[in-house]
Amino acid sequence: VDLCALAHEIEDVRVDAPDALPAAEGDPEIVRRALAPLVENARRHARGDVRLILSARGGTVCIAVRDDGPGVDPVLGDRAFDPGVRGSDSDGAGLGLALARRLARSCGGDVVLGPGPGGDLVLELPTVGRREPDGSGS
């Protein structure tokens, strides 16, 4: 999947991408569906700025979804990805981040909390040809 092309499909976000980014594993529609709740979450909590920052390192292609809002409550940590868990200031059902992670993992990737200020969620996917075996024998 061409993550740059997918990122540029999303309206009203800034996209920062290198000139050359390797293709990522995954079905484009599944990756779109994984990215959608991350962008929706950023829009909900941003003061005004939502950015998609694309990068590649060590066989992984990443889209960091960053906003200028308060970020994920540090008390939640990785539990933010559990179904039904939501921050104290959230009016959502607590399902979007869990869904995004599940979809990313179905493509051999993940969604993790990023190190950036404010809201920073990172969709990570293996580059084409680098997906780890899933042990299913297929």
Side-chain angles (χ1 to χ4, degrees):
V1 64
D2 180 346
L3 292 182
C4 280
L6 286 182
H8 285 287
E9 290 176 2
I10 300 171
E11 295 180 8
D12 301 324
V13 298
R14 289 188 356 209
V15 177
D16 299 330
D19 290 334
L21 193 71
E25 290 283 356
D27 177 276
E29 188 54 36
I30 292 173
V31 175
R32 273 187 199 93
R33 289 176 37 210
L35 189 56
L38 305 180
V39 172
E40 179 182 325
N41 186 69
R43 286 181 173 149
R44 186 176 321 133
H45 296 287
R47 290 184 186 102
D49 185 43
V50 176
R51 292 187 307 155
L52 303 180
I53 302 166
L54 289 83
S55 62
R57 67 182 185 290
T60 302
V61 184
C62 302
I63 298 182
V65 181
R66 291 190 183 155
D67 66 72
D68 58 356
V72 174
D73 184 345
V75 173
L76 291 179
D78 206 49
R79 286 187 331 107
F81 297 101
D82 292 346
V85 173
R86 58 192 180 115
S88 59
D89 66 341
S90 177
D91 58 357
L95 299 175
L97 298 184
L99 174 62
R101 177 173 265 183
R102 184 176 187 138
L103 290 167
R105 287 182 172 175
S106 78
C107 297
D110 205 353
V111 176
V112 298
L113 296 174
D120 188 7
L121 297 163
V122 183
L123 171 62
E124 302 175 334
L125 294 169
T127 58
V128 169
R130 299 282 304 222
R131 184 169 178 170
E132 295 293 320
D134 63 8
S136 67
S138 54

